[in-house]
Amino acid sequence: MFSGAAFSFDHNWSETVTERLSWLTNVMAHRDASEQRRQPRRKPRRQLEYSVLPVTQIERQCLDNFIWANQKGAMLLPIWTDAQVLQSTAASGQAVVSIQTTTYDYDANGYLILWRDYQNYEAVKVQSLTSSAVTLTENLLSTWTPGTIVCPARLARMSQQVQGQQHAHEVRPYRFLFDVDEASPSTNRAATLSPNQYLSTDVFEAISEGGEVLDFSYEHGRFDIDFQVGAVAIDSGARPNPALIVPYKETFENRAQLSTWVGFLERRQGRRVPFWFPTWENDFQPVTIHNGVNGSIDYVSNGYADWINAANGRKDLAIIYLSNGQVYSAGHYQNVRITAATNNGNGTETINCPLNFVYDSDRPGLKLSFLRYCRLESDSIEIAWHTTTAATTRTAFRELLNVP
């Protein structure tokens, strides 16, 4: 049994749990907008923010005393986002606990905690696990009946400042920030992905959600040389086009979706590893489609041929097959590179690109979307957990102009 301090006070689910994953990437930007990216830290740092609302006077006293005695040191932290209800008895003297582990934060050399309340719990180190059971390094001291809360636990440190609000005497909601021990990285909960690729680079096929206003921006990395007197010199020749900062939001309805998102982040390694991301917008309105290796698409004029004409950052296209405005299924699209564009002078333009599909009455529509070459805008990603199975993330992708 774990003999050190354990933070056994449960999260108040009227508030979200905020999980923050922070990689470390050195990005060296060049004058022509190309980048070199290096990763000094192999695994992300992880933070968890919990809200605790003591419901009795004794619990409030115990919590205050725990902070006083233990804020300075390491402690065992239950991962309340991964809590489950025990379905079968975990008997005293046995070392196996039957619990679902797929997509949950259990790893060998981590910990498992069985919990009834802040004063009645047992924490033991994990030796091994299968998809439906955890084997512990020691036998259990107590018998834990169905209905007991069970969840993984990690070594962590409480932040230097704990904040709270005093609404009245004995009514104090607390907000805690914990830094999870870097020596125990979380691996089991991340899905192992084999995404579709384009030009040997992952394609991220998810669609950013609507439903709220998300900010985007264009950013041009020009250099202004201004001595505060006289003319201002502007150096923009090496970087003729701006980069777009693309907002992204996703709500996860189950742990499988969350596991896929964590798997995606593992493949990105913060800002280091780029990926392709369709705009999922109608960037061209097709008129006529000519199939074949030397294919082409005639579309309603939108300025692409005159202003862009297959420039870096705007020469890759996602062709998405639609049925009643929806994608048929994952994989029902192809990614192609535009080789040239022509203004036909009659209200249409033509882009040249290889096409290998048949466009007929069985496919009532196409969505022609730019395929952006991106990386994460930030090394730090937040997940807001609303329950143990539902969460939301909001982040942004930075478009890269030097495409493969």
Side-chain angles (χ1 to χ4, degrees):
M1 180 176 176
F2 182 76
S3 59
F7 186 83
S8 58
F9 303 90
D10 59 322
H11 173 70
N12 171 23
W13 281 105
S14 66
E15 303 285 343
T16 59
V17 172
T18 300
E19 178 176 1
R20 187 174 299 106
L21 300 172
S22 299
W23 284 263
L24 180 63
T25 308
N26 291 336
V27 178
M28 294 158 277
H30 301 156
R31 182 172 175 267
D32 63 355
S34 62
E35 291 181 347
Q36 286 179 285
R37 295 176 293 274
R38 298 290 182 267
Q39 188 176 37
R41 191 166 63 222
R42 290 182 60 83
K43 294 293 183 180
R45 288 182 175 172
R46 183 182 182 192
Q47 292 182 316
L48 289 166
E49 290 186 31
Y50 290 156
S51 292
V52 176
L53 179 61
V55 296
T56 67
Q57 187 177 80
I58 293 298
E59 185 178 3
R60 195 274 305 162
Q61 293 169 4
C62 289
L63 179 56
D64 280 341
N65 291 337
F66 180 91
I67 297 170
W68 177 265
N70 296 289
Q71 187 176 10
K72 66 181 182 298
M75 64 191 67
L76 194 63
L77 180 71
I79 308 301
W80 293 115
T81 57
D82 290 31
Q84 300 176 74
V85 176
L86 196 64
Q87 300 298 315
S88 59
T89 298
S92 172
Q94 75 175 37
V96 177
V97 178
S98 296
I99 198 73
Q100 173 68 37
T101 65
T102 303
T103 75
Y104 288 84
D105 193 22
Y106 291 102
D107 285 293
N109 297 318
Y111 290 85
L112 175 146
I113 186 167
L114 295 143
W115 184 93
R116 288 197 189 100
D117 58 46
Y118 69 96
Q119 292 178 313
N120 297 284
Y121 61 89
E122 185 173 354
V124 187
K125 195 168 189 177
V126 174
Q127 182 179 73
S128 62
L129 60 148
T130 67
S131 62
S132 59
V134 174
T135 300
L136 306 172
T137 59
E138 304 174 61
N139 292 334
L140 293 172
L141 298 180
S142 303
T143 294
W144 301 90
T145 56
T148 298
I149 300 299
V150 57
C151 62
R154 300 275 177 176
L155 291 174
R157 288 184 179 273
M158 195 181 294
S159 64
Q160 297 181 46
Q161 183 178 50
V162 175
Q163 296 182 332
Q165 296 175 322
Q166 182 155 328
H167 296 271
H169 288 296
E170 306 297 344
V171 182
R172 295 184 191 171
Y174 297 73
R175 190 73 178 175
F176 292 90
L177 174 64
F178 294 95
D179 293 303
V180 178
D181 181 18
E182 287 187 67
S184 60
S186 178
T187 57
N188 182 63
R189 67 176 182 152
T192 301
L193 305 180
S194 299
N196 291 328
Q197 292 197 327
Y198 172 63
L199 300 179
S200 301
T201 301
D202 290 358
V203 180
F204 184 53
E205 299 172 352
I207 305 174
S208 181
E209 290 182 15
E212 68 176 72
V213 177
L214 300 174
D215 294 332
F216 70 91
S217 63
Y218 285 90
E219 181 179 299
H220 196 290
R222 74 185 192 195
F223 296 96
D224 294 350
I225 304 171
D226 184 4
F227 296 102
Q228 304 301 315
V229 292
V232 177
I234 299 176
D235 178 9
S236 62
R239 192 179 301 185
N241 304 114
L244 182 61
I245 312 302
V246 185
Y248 183 79
K249 175 196 172 187
E250 185 173 358
T251 297
F252 310 103
E253 299 176 350
N254 53 61
R255 295 197 66 91
Q257 294 175 354
L258 276 157
S259 181
T260 298
W261 174 246
V262 176
F264 166 78
L265 295 177
E266 286 286 338
R267 293 181 69 86
R268 304 284 66 80
Q269 295 292 293
R271 295 181 292 167
R272 187 173 72 86
V273 182
F275 57 97
W276 295 100
F277 181 56
T279 66
W280 295 101
E281 296 181 344
N282 293 299
D283 293 315
F284 297 89
Q285 184 177 333
V287 176
T288 308
I289 297 176
H290 308 278
N291 199 25
V293 175
N294 299 313
S296 63
I297 300 174
D298 300 332
Y299 58 94
V300 176
S301 293
N302 61 10
Y304 179 85
D306 294 330
W307 294 332
I308 299 177
N309 200 343
N312 270 351
R314 289 293 185 277
K315 65 180 181 181
D316 295 283
L317 189 66
I319 302 175
I320 306 166
Y321 307 132
L322 299 179
S323 175
N324 298 323
Q326 301 296 318
V327 182
Y328 272 105
S329 64
H332 275 76
Y333 62 86
Q334 66 179 110
N335 302 311
V336 298
R337 174 150 287 178
I338 299 170
T339 57
T342 305
N343 188 334
N344 300 319
N346 60 359
T348 68
E349 300 173 7
T350 299
I351 52 175
N352 301 101
C353 53
L355 301 172
N356 59 7
F357 67 92
V358 176
Y359 179 60
D360 54 33
S361 58
D362 291 334
R363 302 197 185 279
L366 288 180
K367 179 176 284 188
L368 305 181
S369 302
F370 282 123
L371 190 63
R372 296 186 178 119
Y373 187 59
C374 299
R375 63 163 169 81
L376 294 179
E377 169 66 358
S378 173
D379 275 327
S380 183
I381 302 294
E382 288 190 358
I383 301 172
W385 293 80
H386 310 293
T387 68
T388 59
T389 58
T392 303
T393 191
R394 293 173 178 83
T395 185
F397 305 151
R398 172 176 285 272
E399 184 180 29
L400 302 175
L401 301 180
N402 292 78
V403 300

